[in-house]
């Protein structure tokens, strides 16, 4: 078990190092940035994750446009990170933009419901019932 944990730790550290090197390149793609940002968020490195998601959003909008599902996904992830950082108003703005895309493209869908739920959690955290 100890060896397995050591190998798992080494693998994760190596994968993150490679992803960070890739993200440092000027021609890095939005998918790599999204994956690295998600990894950073899961590790609790929220400020770093937000910076990576911001870069990812720029590339995603340039590639797919403002009204694409991929753009909504990045905005949703940014909302999660912003809420965690206590940036409630900024998170709500991200979720509102995400929701606009989801309602137009997906209608009633689990992703749309999740965004409504996340917005409700923020209003609850703000004490706005």
């Amino acid at each position: 078990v100890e060896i397995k944990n050591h190998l798992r730790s080494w693998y994760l550290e190596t994968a993150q190092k490679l992803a960070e090197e890739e993200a440092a390149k000027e021609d890095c793609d939005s998918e790599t940035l999204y994956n690295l940002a998600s990894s950073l968020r899961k590790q609790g490195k929220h400020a770093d994750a937000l910076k990576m998601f911001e870069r990812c959003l720029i590339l995603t909008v340039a590639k797919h446009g403002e009204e694409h599902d991929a753009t909504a996904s990045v905005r949703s992830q940014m909302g999660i990170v912003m809420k965690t950082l206590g940036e409630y108003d900024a998170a709500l703005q991200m979720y509102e933009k995400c929701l606009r895309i989801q309602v137009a493209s997906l209608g009633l869908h689990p992703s749309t419901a999740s965004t409504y739920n996340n917005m409700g959690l923020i209003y609850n955290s703000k004490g706005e019932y």
Side-chain angles (χ1 to χ4, degrees):
V1 173
E2 227 175 283
I3 293 172
K4 199 175 197 179
N5 288 338
H6 179 72
L7 286 173
R8 181 181 300 128
S9 180
W10 174 85
Y11 172 77
L12 290 172
E13 288 171 13
T14 303
Q16 179 150 356
K17 182 180 177 187
L18 291 171
E20 288 171 354
E21 288 172 4
E22 186 65 27
K25 295 178 182 176
E26 228 173 276
D27 64 343
C28 184
D29 62 73
S30 60
E31 292 83 8
T32 299
L33 294 174
Y34 185 93
N35 291 335
L36 180 57
S38 296
S39 175
L40 291 167
R41 181 179 65 82
K42 290 174 185 173
Q43 293 175 45
K45 299 177 181 179
H46 303 293
D48 293 335
L50 185 56
K51 289 177 188 174
M52 203 63 58
F53 277 127
E54 288 168 349
R55 284 184 58 202
C56 179
L57 181 62
I58 292 167
L59 294 176
T60 303
V61 169
K63 181 177 180 180
H64 298 290
E66 188 61 53
E67 304 301 320
H68 194 274
D69 292 341
T71 304
S73 180
V74 176
R75 288 191 181 283
S76 178
Q77 292 300 310
M78 290 177 75
I80 291 169
V81 174
M82 290 170 170
K83 179 189 179 289
T84 303
L85 292 171
E87 299 174 12
Y88 299 132
D89 292 331
L92 281 172
Q93 288 178 352
M94 275 298 149
Y95 283 133
E96 287 167 0
K97 291 177 181 180
C98 174
L99 188 62
R100 188 184 74 245
I101 298 166
Q102 290 173 326
V103 167
S105 65
L106 302 173
L108 294 176
H109 185 274
S111 294
T112 309
S114 179
T115 300
Y116 276 120
N117 182 67
N118 289 341
M119 292 173 76
L121 292 172
I122 291 174
Y123 284 118
N124 185 57
S125 294
K126 292 176 68 172
E128 297 178 15
Y129 308 107

